[in-house]
Amino acid sequence: MIVLYDEEYSPYCGKVRKLMDYKGLRYRRVPVPYHDKRRLLKETGQDYVPYLRDGRRGVAWTDAVDYLEEIRPEPTAYPDGLREVCKILEAWEYDWFEDRFWGLVAPFLERTFTDEVEWWNFTETWERVYGSFEEIRRNPKPVWEGLHPSLQRLEDRLRRRDFLLAGSPSAFDFAIYGNFHALAAADVRILPKYPRLRAWYRRVDGLGPR
């Protein structure tokens, strides 16, 4: 069985979990606290999640999708030969979209932490990047507006299809899903102005065992 070192609200962990669900792979989750990476470092030698351990083989987050494709080719995360396209779009999601989307997630996710040390570490880290969480929670509209061009493109892409690239889910679907899963963990809903994205999220969320 695969061991997944995991943070529930991490967009990339959400991506990898849902891909493993889609492929029907069994895995065991090892929770990694935001503020305490000692076990992760001791058992994996690195401090980033997700990290997969499959027997003696360790797989870093950057290689997770291709590794899962290797051990369970079907159903594929690269339908219609779209591997290279997915790689480009995954890079955009990670390097641009996720950083901006996290500015919406983090202020609301902060309220879910029950451990005071974990809460302090999380808040201290991300308020430096995005500014006052209290102010963002009071008025999240500017963040939503900054995301709107990208969200509207995703919304438009779903006009005549169930998934973002092909007739079946792709690695890009799972990458975007990870961000919306984090938003759900923060108890924030996708705005009603994006009905196709809302339906798409439910569709991807329902893939595989629950």
Side-chain angles (χ1 to χ4, degrees):
M1 180 185 294
I2 297 172
V3 175
L4 169 66
Y5 293 85
D6 182 42
E7 284 177 348
E8 169 62 31
Y9 47 80
S10 157
Y12 216 99
C13 288
K15 169 186 178 177
V16 170
R17 284 196 308 269
K18 184 49 63 176
L19 179 55
M20 288 195 288
D21 289 343
Y22 179 56
K23 287 179 172 290
L25 290 164
R26 296 177 63 218
Y27 59 95
R28 177 172 63 86
R29 296 168 65 179
V30 176
V32 177
Y34 185 83
H35 68 297
D36 187 354
K37 304 295 193 295
R38 286 174 295 181
R39 179 178 178 181
L40 178 67
L41 284 163
K42 180 179 179 180
E43 296 183 6
T44 72
Q46 54 90 62
D47 66 350
Y48 206 92
V49 292
Y51 187 91
L52 303 177
R53 185 172 297 284
D54 192 1
R56 294 185 177 182
R57 184 169 179 179
V59 182
W61 67 276
T62 50
D63 301 317
V65 175
D66 284 339
Y67 179 71
L68 296 173
E69 282 287 290
E70 174 188 331
I71 64 171
R72 186 67 60 85
E74 297 295 335
T76 182
Y78 303 130
D80 300 344
L82 290 171
R83 182 179 183 276
E84 295 308 316
V85 172
C86 282
K87 290 296 183 184
I88 293 169
L89 291 172
E90 285 178 286
W92 170 81
E93 179 278 326
Y94 183 74
D95 294 334
W96 193 93
F97 183 78
E98 183 177 313
D99 284 347
R100 288 155 180 80
F101 202 86
W102 194 248
L104 178 64
V105 173
F108 294 92
L109 187 66
E110 179 203 38
R111 301 180 303 183
T112 69
F113 288 100
T114 57
D115 183 290
E116 290 184 358
V117 178
E118 189 167 20
W119 170 84
W120 184 88
N121 276 269
F122 183 88
T123 304
E124 179 73 8
T125 298
W126 293 112
E127 279 198 325
R128 291 182 181 182
V129 178
Y130 298 114
S132 167
F133 282 177
E134 184 177 348
E135 290 183 10
I136 295 171
R137 286 194 295 264
R138 188 183 306 117
N139 180 24
K141 184 178 179 180
V143 186
W144 279 110
E145 289 178 344
L147 291 165
H148 174 71
S150 295
L151 295 176
Q152 189 60 55
R153 288 188 178 94
L154 296 173
E155 177 77 7
D156 292 344
R157 180 68 185 171
L158 293 164
R159 188 178 301 276
R160 290 182 294 274
R161 52 178 53 85
D162 287 340
F163 300 102
L164 292 170
L165 293 185
S168 58
S170 70
F172 183 55
D173 285 278
F174 294 117
I176 297 297
Y177 167 84
N179 291 277
F180 286 108
H181 176 78
L183 192 69
D187 198 26
V188 178
R189 296 184 178 183
I190 305 169
L191 295 181
K193 68 191 293 183
Y194 306 114
R196 298 185 189 92
L197 269 175
R198 287 159 66 106
W200 165 87
Y201 175 77
R202 293 191 296 269
R203 191 176 301 121
V204 178
D205 194 49
L207 295 172
R210 300 305 301 274

